[in-house]
Structures are given as C-alpha cells and as structure tokens.
C-alpha cells in the first residue's frame, strides 16, 4: 500500500472514532455538542504530556488520557443536565473556547502554540508500531473495539432508554428512568472515546499543537456525524471517511496551502447546507431524528422542554 | 484608580461591540427562536466586504464602509430568503435550521479567508479613527467614541421603533404569534425579512468597527458572536434591553478583570463564569419569557 493510502486510512480510522463518539451524544442522546475537539484534545495532550515530559509508559499514559477525557466529558455533563437545545450549543461552544485557550496558553504543560513534539508510539512485543502499516492495523483495531461497544450500547436496553430520554425527557422521567445518570454516563463514555481518539492521533503524528483541537475541528466532526446519519454507527464511520477524503482530493488540484484549507472548510459547510435540503437525516439513517408530531406544535413543545 | 477608569472606558467600548451583535441576535432570536449562528457571518462579512471594496474597487473608506454595511444586511436577508424560508416550507425545524445556518457561516467565512488570506483585513477609514482624545489622565480614540455613540443611538432608535411604530408592533406581534400577523392581513414573510434585516444591521455595524479597529480575521466572528449570545442568554431571551445591558456588563468585566489576570485568560474566565451561571440559573439573570418563543422561520 502506498504511504499516501496508509496515511489516509489511518486518518479515517481516527476520525471515525471521533464521529462515532459524537454520534452517541448528538444522535442517540440528543446533546448537541460543539466541544468534541476539546475532549479529543484533552486525550491527546494528556497522553503527550505524560509520555513525553513525564516518561510514563504508553499504556499508563493511554489509560490516564482516557480517564481525564472521560472526566472532561463529565464536566460537560454539568451544563447538559441543566440546559439543552440552543443553550447547550452555546455552553459547549464556551467550553470549546476555554479548552482552546488552555491548550494554547498553559505553556508549561501543553507547550503553548508550539505544541508537544516527540510523542512515542507504543511497542507490543515484536510488533513495531513505528512502521506505518502495523500502525494502520492498530488504529483500525481501536476503531473496531469502539464501534463494537457503540453498536452494542445503542442496541441494548440502555440504548433504548437513551432514545426514550432523547425523544421525551418528561415521559422517560415519568417512567422512572434515571435521566441524569444516563446523560452523565453517555457524556463520560463519549469523552473516553474521544480521548482515546486523541491518544491514537498523537501517537500517529508524533506531534500535536492547539490548531488540531479548535472550533473548526468540532465543526468538521459534527459534519461527519450529520453527513453519515446521526443515529447510524456505520453512517458516522462513512461520514468520517467522506470528510477525511475531501482534503486530499482537493490537494490533487494543487492549490496554494492558504487557499486549500479554507476551501475544504467551505466545502464542508456547503455539504451541510445541501444535505439539510436534500437529506436532513444523513446518508445512512432512514428515519428522521425526531418523529414529527403536528408541524406547528413540535417546535414549541421542544422549546418548552428546554427549560422544563 | 486611574487604571480602573481607563479599563472601564475600554470595557464600555468592548461592550458596545458585543451589545450591537447581541441586540441584533436578541431581536432575531426573540422573534423566530431560530439559533441563527450565521449572524457571525454577517458581522465578519460587513468588515470583509468593506475591506474588499477599498482594496479591489479602490473606494474611499467611508463609502466602502457603507457598501459593506448594505451588503452585509443583504447577506442576512438572503440567508432567510433563500435558505431558512424554503427549508421551513420543506418542514425543516430547529435543529435542521441550525445546521444550515452553521453551514452557511462556515461557507461565507472561509470564502472571505480564501479571498483575503488569514492576515487581519484592516479597513482604513482615515487617520481620524485612531486619533486619541485625551480626557484628563485617560483617553479614548475618536473611533471608540463614535462606536459608543452609534451604539447608544442605534439601540435607542430600535427601542423607539419597536414600541412606537407600526413595523415595530408587527415585529412584537410576530414574536408572540406569527399566524396573527397573517390574520390582520400582513405577510409574515415580510415581517421576517424585516427582523433579519434589522438584526443584521446591528451586527454589521459592529463588524465594521472591528475591521477598522483591529482588522477582521478568520474565527473572530465566532468569538464575538459567542460572547454576545452569552449576553442574550444572561439578559433573558426575547429582551433586547436585557441583551444590551448584559453585553455592556460583559465588556466591562472582561476589561476590569485585566487588573487581576493576564489578557489571554480573561475570556476563559468569563466563559467559565457563564457556564457556572447557566448551570445555577438556566433562565439567566432576568426572568425568561417563554411565551415569546415560537416556531422558527
């Protein structure tokens, strides 16, 4: 396989983990988060800091990164329990900006805008992940594990409870479902998965900087989830593949770097707009995100439930 | 004490920018409940378009600013006319309308970045803009004084229009009940366009000031937008006055915080305070008027 294909497939695997974990939040729990890149960054920075600056073993650093990103997810759950809808979009946006400032400005830990170079990849016995081929296999194994967990989760009774809470919180609470506990658990899980994606990302590039964990990254991950279909595990993987393939394709036309970056972002935005007109549920989901009640009352009912 | 007063003045200037964006958004959000995130594109669009008008068309600063202002308002109107309304007719609601707005923001912002590059796009209105007016041991620039004056005048005018004129009463009627507008023989679509045009005008004024002051940059629109939206939520949804006061307070707080903490941490501190506030009291500081929240465009 050419190095080009290798890097493309590895990126797809990493971003598929991210979009999958975000689809748990957006599609299955109904929590629209603009802070996913922040959780991704917490994982990546924890791993990089511990493995590079504190000489932790890759395994221990990975575990710590997942725990810390899960904890960051729990922090996110605090506003998510109190507010939803438009409020939470703003709250998560605020969290994302706080995280971005921390990544750029907490120089002693994050290396500031210079980032952290020299991140080590793990070694499993004779398998040397410093080669790109084994690393591709490794990243796909991580993706498979996360996808299997996600698939099992949304099909389980717990998954059905998530959907009940997403569709109508009041009904779920009336039925005695633990609304708060479920939301916290799902944000924690999404945080852990995003943190794991961050670890693999840091290991793969062997260098991280704040530019990879900005609002624009969050928007890209959202686009992946929306393109693939918010409630489809397979869809979010395919969404990640589509969005990851676009930038290299645009590079084929050999644009200046200052043009290529914004152009691909603009393309993602256009994709969102077109998709909302043609197939708002995404490519791979066949039923709408929310069952339409009578057209006029639904929005009002949704709005009312935000503050209820 | 001297430093405090200077920071207070700077805070009122920053607060004015936030207030313009926030009042515009409060107007739109109060009337339609639509989380119109492309408001940020109208803000940055005004600045970028004015810069393009000076650089590519060679227009003088003042004329270019007017061109940017008009085009940005047209951008806001075009968004509702060609995206939100058709999508609403197809049954698109809350979340779908938000995503289309997000997509439009990303497209517009990046098209400008392609055109002008990632460097700050500076709008030169002439030397007067940055000339300092000494006020005892403090000072403000002419541009800053003009901004604060324009903000206060525009806000007062909006309040008068909303309460005294027929158009303003239609907007208020629309926020409560869009069908009512139709019943009394007015076209809801016209009211909607009016709301977005007026809201966009406020954001565009702020965008022009920022472009003339520090220059417009990629991502700047989103940052100003999100601070202003916090003000809208703190002030209470549907209340333009609440948004105005909260935005001023945020601007002042952000600058006064400089006495204690470094500049790069003031925004994170404010965001954390906001998160704490909405966690403790989701309705913001004033009462939330749920009755005015109706279906989006």
């Amino acid at each position: 396989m050419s190095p080009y294909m290798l890097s493309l497939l590895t990126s797809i695997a990493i971003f598929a983990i991210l979009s999958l974990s975000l689809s748990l939040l957006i599609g299955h729990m109904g929590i629209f988060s603009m802070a996913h890149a922040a959780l991704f960054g917490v994982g990546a920075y924890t791993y990089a800091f511990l493995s590079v600056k504190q000489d932790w073993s890759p395994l221990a650093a990975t575990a710590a990164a997942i725990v810390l990103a899960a904890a960051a997810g729990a922090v996110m759950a605090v506003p998510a329990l109190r507010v939803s809808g438009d409020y939470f979009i703003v709250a998560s946006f605020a969290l994302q900006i706080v995280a971005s400032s921390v990544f750029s400005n907490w120089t002693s830990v994050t290396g500031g805008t210079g980032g952290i170079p020299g991140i080590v990849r793990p070694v499993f016995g004779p398998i040397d992940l410093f080669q790109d081929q084994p690393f591709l296999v490794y990243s796909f194994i991580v993706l498979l594990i996360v996808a299997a967990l996600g698939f099992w989760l949304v099909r389980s009774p717990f998954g059905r409870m998530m959907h009940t809470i997403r569709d109508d919180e009041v009904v779920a609470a009336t039925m005695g479902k633990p609304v708060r506990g479920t939301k916290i658990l799902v944000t924690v899980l999404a945080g852990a998965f995003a943190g794991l994606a961050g670890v693999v990302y840091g290991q793969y590039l062997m260098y991280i900087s704040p530019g990879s964990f900005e609002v624009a990254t969050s928007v890209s991950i959202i686009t992946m989830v929306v393109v693939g279909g918010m409630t489809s595990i397979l869809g979010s993987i395919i969404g990640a593949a589509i969005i990851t393939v676009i930038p290299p394709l645009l590079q084929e036309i050999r644009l200046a770097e200052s043009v290529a970056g914004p152009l691909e972002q603009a393309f993602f935005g256009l994709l969102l707009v077109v998709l909302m007109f043609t197939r708002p549920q995404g490519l791979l989901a066949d039923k709408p995100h929310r069952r339409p009640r009578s057209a006029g009352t639904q929005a009002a009912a949704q709005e009312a439930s935000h503050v209820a | 004490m001297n430093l405090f007063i200077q920071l207070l003045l700077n805070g009122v200037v920053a607060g004015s920018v936030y207030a313009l964006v926030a009042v515009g958004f409060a107007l739109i959000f109060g009337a339609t409940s639509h989380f119109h995130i492309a408001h940020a594109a109208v803000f940055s669009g005004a600045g970028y378009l004015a810069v393009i008008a000076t650089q590519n068309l060679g227009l003088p600063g003042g004329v270019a600013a007017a061109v940017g202002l008009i085009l940005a308002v047209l951008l806001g109107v075009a968004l509702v006319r060609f995206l939100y309304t058709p999508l609403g007719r197809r049954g698109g609601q809350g979340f779908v309308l938000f995503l289309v707005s997000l997509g439009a923001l990303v497209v517009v912002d990046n098209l400008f970045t392609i055109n002008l590059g990632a460097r700050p796009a500076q709008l030169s209105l002439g030397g007067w803009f940055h000339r300092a007016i000494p006020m005892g041991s403090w000072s403000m620039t002419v541009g800053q004084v003009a901004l604060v004056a324009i903000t206060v005048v525009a806000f007062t005018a909006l309040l008068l229009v909303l309460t005294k004129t027929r158009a303003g009463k239609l907007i208020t009627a629309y926020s409560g009940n869009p069908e009512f507008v139709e019943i009394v023989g007015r076209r809801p679509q016209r009211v909607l366009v009016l709301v977005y045009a007026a809201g966009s005008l406020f954001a565009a004024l702020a965008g022009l000031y920022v472009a003339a002051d520090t220059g417009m940059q990629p991502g700047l629109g989103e940052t100003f937008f999100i601070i202003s939206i916090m003000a809208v939520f703190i002030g209470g949804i549907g209340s333009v006055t609440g948004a105005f006061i909260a935005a001023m307070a945020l601007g002042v707080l952000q600058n006064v915080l400089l006495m204690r903490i470094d500049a790069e941490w003031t925004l994170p501190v404010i965001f954390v305070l906001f998160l704490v506030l909405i966690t403790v009291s989701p309705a913001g500081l004033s009462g939330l008027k749920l009755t005015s929240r109706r279906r989006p465009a």
Side-chain angles (χ1 to χ4, degrees):
Chain A
M1 213 184 289
S2 68
Y4 176 78
M5 276 306 280
L6 278 174
S7 83
L8 193 62
L9 288 173
T10 313
S11 305
I12 289 176
I14 293 167
F15 280 97
I17 302 171
L18 277 173
S19 69
L20 215 155
S21 61
L22 185 62
S23 83
L24 286 180
L25 275 183
I26 295 185
H28 295 279
M29 198 66 256
I31 297 176
F32 189 89
S33 169
M34 303 261 305
H36 218 57
L39 301 175
F40 179 43
V42 169
Y45 271 107
T46 309
Y47 180 84
F49 175 72
L50 292 177
S51 67
V52 175
K53 300 194 178 172
Q54 305 290 322
D55 288 321
W56 285 34
S57 74
L59 205 65
T62 303
I66 293 174
V67 169
L68 220 68
V75 170
M76 208 172 74
V78 176
L81 289 177
R82 298 284 303 192
V83 297
S84 60
D86 308 322
Y87 276 83
F88 189 71
I89 294 172
V90 176
S92 62
F93 207 133
L95 278 170
Q96 172 66 52
I97 291 180
V98 172
S100 289
S101 317
V102 172
F103 296 153
S104 313
N105 296 323
W106 195 12
T107 317
S108 57
V109 171
T110 65
T113 45
I116 303 180
I119 300 168
V120 289
R121 293 182 182 180
V123 178
F124 296 111
I127 306 166
D128 184 6
L129 290 183
F130 278 91
Q131 306 249 301
D132 280 344
Q133 254 152 345
F135 195 88
L136 173 66
V137 177
Y138 160 76
S139 59
F140 263 88
I141 290 173
V142 177
L143 170 62
L144 268 180
I145 295 171
V146 173
L149 277 172
F151 205 72
W152 170 75
L153 191 77
V154 300
R155 298 278 161 128
S156 69
F158 183 82
R160 286 195 290 278
M161 186 166 74
M162 280 163 67
H163 297 155
T164 312
I165 294 171
R166 174 198 66 195
D167 292 339
D168 200 324
E169 227 171 86
V170 180
V171 166
T174 319
M175 285 156 61
K177 302 293 181 202
V179 175
R180 298 168 65 91
T182 309
K183 281 191 175 178
I184 294 173
L185 192 60
V186 174
T187 49
V188 164
L189 261 179
F193 288 162
L196 183 58
V199 171
V200 180
Y201 180 81
Q203 289 171 339
Y204 177 61
L205 288 186
M206 298 191 275
Y207 164 73
I208 53 170
S209 63
S212 310
F213 312 103
E214 282 176 347
V215 182
T217 318
S218 281
V219 173
S220 300
I221 306 170
I222 290 167
T223 315
M224 293 172 190
V225 174
V226 173
V227 166
M230 286 180 280
T231 53
S232 163
I233 296 285
L234 188 63
S236 51
I237 296 174
I238 290 180
I242 293 172
I243 300 301
T244 314
V245 165
I246 290 172
L249 281 184
L250 285 177
Q251 272 168 24
E252 293 290 308
I253 34 180
R254 303 198 180 284
L255 291 164
E257 197 157 313
S258 61
V259 175
L263 190 66
E264 70 191 45
Q265 289 292 325
F267 193 84
F268 295 164
L270 194 64
L271 199 62
L272 266 184
V273 173
V274 171
L275 206 68
M276 285 308 106
F277 274 89
T278 52
R279 213 178 148 76
Q281 75 273 34
L283 295 177
L284 255 79
D286 45 21
K287 70 168 200 233
H289 173 53
R290 280 173 203 278
R291 236 176 313 112
R293 298 173 211 168
S294 75
T297 58
Q298 191 202 3
Q302 267 180 34
E303 301 302 338
S305 69
H306 288 170
V307 193
Chain B
M1 195 59 202
N2 271 344
L3 177 63
F4 179 76
I5 298 206
Q6 183 62 54
L7 289 175
L8 211 62
L9 289 176
N10 296 353
V12 170
V13 172
S16 298
V17 178
Y18 300 150
L20 285 171
V21 181
V23 165
F25 187 81
L27 192 66
I28 295 172
F29 195 62
T32 65
S33 286
H34 174 212
F35 197 82
H36 169 52
I37 197 169
H39 198 57
V42 174
F43 165 88
S44 54
Y48 278 131
L49 287 164
V51 173
I52 291 174
T54 50
Q55 287 183 357
N56 298 11
L57 304 177
L59 295 175
V63 181
V67 169
L69 198 67
I70 294 167
L71 288 180
V73 171
L74 287 179
L75 171 66
V77 171
L79 286 171
V80 63
R81 180 70 189 73
F82 298 113
L83 290 182
Y84 306 155
T85 305
L87 200 56
R89 287 212 191 95
R90 285 159 159 262
Q93 289 177 343
F95 188 65
V96 170
L97 280 173
F98 164 69
L99 282 179
V100 91
S101 188
L102 180 65
L105 165 66
V106 173
V107 171
V108 172
D109 236 16
N110 283 291
L111 287 182
F112 285 127
T113 312
I114 292 172
N115 199 325
L116 294 168
R119 288 173 295 106
Q122 184 88 33
L123 171 66
S124 53
L125 288 176
W128 61 270
F129 191 84
H130 289 283
R131 191 172 304 132
I133 308 172
M135 305 172 173
S137 37
W138 318 292
S139 77
M140 286 173 86
T141 66
V142 179
Q144 288 174 328
V145 174
L147 168 77
V148 176
I150 287 173
T151 306
V152 172
V153 169
F155 176 67
T156 317
L158 177 73
L159 283 186
L160 285 176
V161 166
L162 279 181
T163 50
K164 302 279 184 231
T165 67
R166 188 176 286 270
K169 284 176 182 163
L170 269 178
I171 290 176
T172 317
Y174 184 93
S175 349
N177 190 344
E179 288 86 3
F180 175 77
V181 174
E182 210 159 0
I183 292 167
V184 297
R186 307 283 167 175
R187 290 213 227 130
Q189 177 66 25
R190 284 208 181 151
V191 182
L192 201 62
V193 166
L194 185 67
V195 167
Y196 277 87
S200 299
L201 178 67
F202 277 83
L205 284 171
L208 283 177
Y209 171 79
V210 171
D213 185 41
T214 59
M216 194 55 81
Q217 287 178 63
L220 211 58
E222 285 88 330
T223 310
F224 275 96
F225 174 77
I226 211 72
I227 299 168
S228 307
I229 288 0
M230 286 185 195
V232 175
F233 284 178
I234 294 170
I237 285 160
S239 161
V240 284
T241 312
F244 181 84
I245 295 170
M248 282 291 181
L250 279 184
V252 169
L253 178 65
Q254 186 191 355
N255 279 276
V256 170
L257 276 175
L258 285 171
M259 294 186 80
R260 288 273 171 271
I261 50 180
D262 291 339
E264 67 263 33
W265 293 112
T266 53
L267 270 187
V269 166
I270 286 186
F271 286 126
V272 170
L273 287 176
F274 170 75
L275 288 170
V276 171
L277 174 74
I278 62 159
T279 304
V280 176
S281 158
L285 287 180
S286 78
L288 192 77
K289 290 195 190 67
L290 257 183
T291 46
S292 69
R293 309 203 61 201
R294 293 283 297 195
R295 72 159 185 226

